[in-house]
Amino acid sequence: MRPIASAVIVVALAAAAGCQGHAGFDYSSTNIPQNQGGNVDVGKTLHLRNVFLLGGADPASPAPQQALYAVLINDGDQPARLERITIDGGGSAQLPGPVTLPPNQPVGTGGKPLCTVTGVRPRGTTVPMTFFFSGAEPVRVNVPIKEQTGVYTELTPTPTGSPTPTAPATAPPTGTASPSPTPTPS
């Protein structure tokens, strides 16, 4: 009888030790990004994280032009491209240039806005927007508007250039002459 009781105690202690490592920790919360913006996935490879509009310091008088912040992540093997953003209820998003998402390089980090948005009509404290990527289904996200107070006072209110980590190669427009090389002294 003693060997059976000892075996039961060993198994109970092992089970208690195994449960102790998991006690009080909710693993489901580790999959949720910890930020205050909108978050959505486009398929299994494109991810939009912490998407928000930077409003003015006074919510009673909304700014006519707002900066849109977002971190875009491409977990795929090929580059992706953000083609455009539409705003439900009116308004427009002006991307400063092509937004290329290289594989495994987040775009939109460093406190720089993704683009400028004008003429939005919020629905409460959010603005519904649809993001269009090359080769992917469009995705809609309710984008919260953040007042330019507290941690948001340090952010740049307008974009200064393309948010892509690498500049795309450009060719001169068709029908224009390329500049001739500068002559070198002989």
Side-chain angles (χ1 to χ4, degrees), residues 2 5 11 27 30 32-33 36 42 65-66 82 90 108-109 116 125 127 132 135 142 146 151:
R2 261 178 128 60
V11 170
Y27 283 98
T30 60
I32 300 170
Q36 297 178 3
V42 184
Q65 184 176 17
Q66 298 172 332
L82 175 62
T109 60
T116 302
T125 59
V127 176
F132 294 85
N142 285 321
K146 301 296 179 184
V151 296

Tab-separated table of all heavy atoms in Angstrom, residues 2 5 11 27 30 32-33 36 42 65-66 82 90 108-109 116 125 127 132 135 142 146 151:
chain	number	residue	atom	x	y	z
A	2	ARG	N	1.991	1.194	0.695
A	2	ARG	CA	2.880	2.338	0.779
A	2	ARG	C	3.413	2.748	-0.582
A	2	ARG	O	3.469	3.950	-0.853
A	2	ARG	CB	4.030	2.026	1.724
A	2	ARG	CG	3.815	2.599	3.071
A	2	ARG	CD	4.990	2.176	3.923
A	2	ARG	NE	5.734	3.095	4.658
A	2	ARG	CZ	5.333	3.900	5.606
A	2	ARG	NH1	4.114	3.981	5.902
A	2	ARG	NH2	6.118	4.658	6.268
A	5	ALA	N	0.733	4.781	-2.366
A	5	ALA	CA	0.543	6.102	-1.765
A	5	ALA	C	1.694	7.019	-2.145
A	5	ALA	O	1.494	8.202	-2.446
A	5	ALA	CB	0.422	5.981	-0.251
A	11	VAL	N	2.954	11.922	-8.163
A	11	VAL	CA	2.166	12.395	-9.300
A	11	VAL	C	1.448	13.692	-8.935
A	11	VAL	O	1.410	14.648	-9.721
A	11	VAL	CB	1.157	11.316	-9.767
A	11	VAL	CG1	0.171	11.873	-10.773
A	11	VAL	CG2	1.901	10.129	-10.345
A	27	TYR	N	-2.530	33.177	-21.238
A	27	TYR	CA	-1.783	33.104	-22.491
A	27	TYR	C	-2.516	33.754	-23.657
A	27	TYR	O	-1.907	34.191	-24.607
A	27	TYR	CB	-1.454	31.645	-22.837
A	27	TYR	CG	-0.312	31.125	-22.020
A	27	TYR	CD1	-0.536	30.369	-20.884
A	27	TYR	CD2	0.992	31.428	-22.369
A	27	TYR	CE1	0.511	29.915	-20.123
A	27	TYR	CE2	2.050	30.971	-21.607
A	27	TYR	CZ	1.804	30.213	-20.486
A	27	TYR	OH	2.848	29.772	-19.732
A	30	THR	N	-1.363	37.310	-24.666
A	30	THR	CA	-0.071	37.551	-25.304
A	30	THR	C	-0.211	37.747	-26.808
A	30	THR	O	0.702	38.258	-27.435
A	30	THR	CB	0.914	36.393	-25.039
A	30	THR	OG1	0.357	35.187	-25.560
A	30	THR	CG2	1.217	36.258	-23.556
A	32	ILE	N	-2.509	39.668	-28.209
A	32	ILE	CA	-3.170	40.944	-28.453
A	32	ILE	C	-2.131	42.054	-28.353
A	32	ILE	O	-1.462	42.178	-27.332
A	32	ILE	CB	-4.300	41.184	-27.434
A	32	ILE	CG1	-5.337	40.065	-27.546
A	32	ILE	CG2	-4.941	42.542	-27.642
A	32	ILE	CD1	-6.348	40.054	-26.449
A	33	PRO	N	-1.956	42.852	-29.393
A	33	PRO	CA	-0.982	43.945	-29.317
A	33	PRO	C	-1.348	44.922	-28.199
A	33	PRO	O	-2.511	45.227	-27.988
A	33	PRO	CB	-1.095	44.629	-30.686
A	33	PRO	CG	-1.742	43.625	-31.556
A	33	PRO	CD	-2.615	42.781	-30.677
A	36	GLN	N	-3.033	51.495	-28.160
A	36	GLN	CA	-4.352	52.101	-28.079
A	36	GLN	C	-4.952	52.398	-29.447
A	36	GLN	O	-5.975	53.056	-29.532
A	36	GLN	CB	-4.272	53.374	-27.249
A	36	GLN	CG	-3.857	53.092	-25.830
A	36	GLN	CD	-3.741	54.359	-25.011
A	36	GLN	OE1	-4.011	55.458	-25.468
A	36	GLN	NE2	-3.328	54.212	-23.774
A	42	VAL	N	-4.405	41.316	-42.431
A	42	VAL	CA	-4.833	41.126	-43.811
A	42	VAL	C	-4.300	39.760	-44.217
A	42	VAL	O	-3.109	39.609	-44.490
A	42	VAL	CB	-4.271	42.226	-44.742
A	42	VAL	CG1	-4.811	42.065	-46.149
A	42	VAL	CG2	-4.569	43.601	-44.197
A	65	GLN	N	-6.852	69.060	-40.887
A	65	GLN	CA	-5.896	68.088	-41.408
A	65	GLN	C	-5.334	67.305	-40.226
A	65	GLN	O	-4.957	67.899	-39.217
A	65	GLN	CB	-4.774	68.815	-42.141
A	65	GLN	CG	-3.789	67.919	-42.799
A	65	GLN	CD	-2.750	68.716	-43.596
A	65	GLN	OE1	-2.594	69.916	-43.412
A	65	GLN	NE2	-2.067	68.048	-44.490
A	66	GLN	N	-5.324	65.973	-40.355
A	66	GLN	CA	-4.836	65.130	-39.264
A	66	GLN	C	-3.795	64.160	-39.797
A	66	GLN	O	-3.835	63.772	-40.967
A	66	GLN	CB	-5.992	64.362	-38.630
A	66	GLN	CG	-7.032	65.272	-38.018
A	66	GLN	CD	-8.254	64.515	-37.555
A	66	GLN	OE1	-8.600	63.474	-38.079
A	66	GLN	NE2	-8.923	65.056	-36.548
A	82	LEU	N	1.134	49.229	-50.117
A	82	LEU	CA	-0.109	49.910	-49.754
A	82	LEU	C	-0.445	50.840	-50.901
A	82	LEU	O	0.321	51.743	-51.221
A	82	LEU	CB	0.065	50.696	-48.453
A	82	LEU	CG	-1.117	51.562	-48.022
A	82	LEU	CD1	-2.359	50.720	-47.762
A	82	LEU	CD2	-0.754	52.391	-46.802
A	90	GLY	N	-16.681	60.141	-46.108
A	90	GLY	CA	-16.048	61.320	-46.690
A	90	GLY	C	-14.668	61.576	-46.136
A	90	GLY	O	-14.268	61.036	-45.113
A	108	GLY	N	6.508	52.462	-40.651
A	108	GLY	CA	5.698	53.350	-39.836
A	108	GLY	C	6.191	53.481	-38.420
A	108	GLY	O	5.494	54.010	-37.565
A	109	THR	N	7.391	53.024	-38.153
A	109	THR	CA	7.960	53.168	-36.813
A	109	THR	C	8.709	54.490	-36.724
A	109	THR	O	8.916	55.169	-37.718
A	109	THR	CB	8.920	52.008	-36.503
A	109	THR	OG1	9.969	52.017	-37.469
A	109	THR	CG2	8.204	50.676	-36.535
A	116	THR	N	-1.347	62.013	-44.443
A	116	THR	CA	-2.214	63.089	-43.981
A	116	THR	C	-3.649	62.778	-44.384
A	116	THR	O	-3.897	62.300	-45.492
A	116	THR	CB	-1.774	64.427	-44.620
A	116	THR	OG1	-0.415	64.660	-44.277
A	116	THR	CG2	-2.623	65.565	-44.119
A	125	THR	N	-15.691	58.517	-31.579
A	125	THR	CA	-14.252	58.761	-31.413
A	125	THR	C	-13.416	57.976	-32.421
A	125	THR	O	-12.206	57.873	-32.262
A	125	THR	CB	-13.809	58.384	-29.983
A	125	THR	OG1	-14.116	57.001	-29.762
A	125	THR	CG2	-14.481	59.262	-28.941
A	127	VAL	N	-12.863	56.723	-36.825
A	127	VAL	CA	-13.129	56.960	-38.242
A	127	VAL	C	-12.915	55.632	-38.968
A	127	VAL	O	-11.806	55.083	-38.934
A	127	VAL	CB	-12.174	58.030	-38.820
A	127	VAL	CG1	-12.395	58.202	-40.307
A	127	VAL	CG2	-12.341	59.348	-38.096
A	132	PHE	N	-6.066	49.386	-48.839
A	132	PHE	CA	-5.959	48.555	-50.039
A	132	PHE	C	-4.488	48.240	-50.293
A	132	PHE	O	-3.678	49.146	-50.485
A	132	PHE	CB	-6.550	49.288	-51.249
A	132	PHE	CG	-8.027	49.512	-51.143
A	132	PHE	CD1	-8.542	50.612	-50.469
A	132	PHE	CD2	-8.920	48.622	-51.720
A	132	PHE	CE1	-9.910	50.828	-50.369
A	132	PHE	CE2	-10.290	48.822	-51.640
A	132	PHE	CZ	-10.785	49.926	-50.961
A	135	GLY	N	-2.393	42.789	-54.294
A	135	GLY	CA	-2.508	41.337	-54.177
A	135	GLY	C	-3.185	40.840	-52.915
A	135	GLY	O	-3.025	39.687	-52.552
A	142	ASN	N	-11.557	50.458	-37.737
A	142	ASN	CA	-12.061	51.646	-37.054
A	142	ASN	C	-10.875	52.318	-36.385
A	142	ASN	O	-10.309	51.792	-35.429
A	142	ASN	CB	-13.135	51.286	-36.037
A	142	ASN	CG	-14.440	50.944	-36.708
A	142	ASN	OD1	-14.819	51.567	-37.684
A	142	ASN	ND2	-15.116	49.935	-36.195
A	146	LYS	N	-6.875	60.356	-31.508
A	146	LYS	CA	-6.191	60.665	-30.251
A	146	LYS	C	-5.948	62.166	-30.171
A	146	LYS	O	-5.504	62.775	-31.138
A	146	LYS	CB	-4.848	59.929	-30.159
A	146	LYS	CG	-4.978	58.419	-30.240
A	146	LYS	CD	-5.754	57.914	-29.053
A	146	LYS	CE	-5.923	56.416	-29.097
A	146	LYS	NZ	-6.739	55.924	-28.015
A	151	VAL	N	1.243	61.766	-24.067
A	151	VAL	CA	2.292	61.117	-24.865
A	151	VAL	C	2.206	61.485	-26.341
A	151	VAL	O	3.176	61.332	-27.077
A	151	VAL	CB	2.259	59.582	-24.709
A	151	VAL	CG1	2.565	59.169	-23.290
A	151	VAL	CG2	0.942	59.007	-25.174
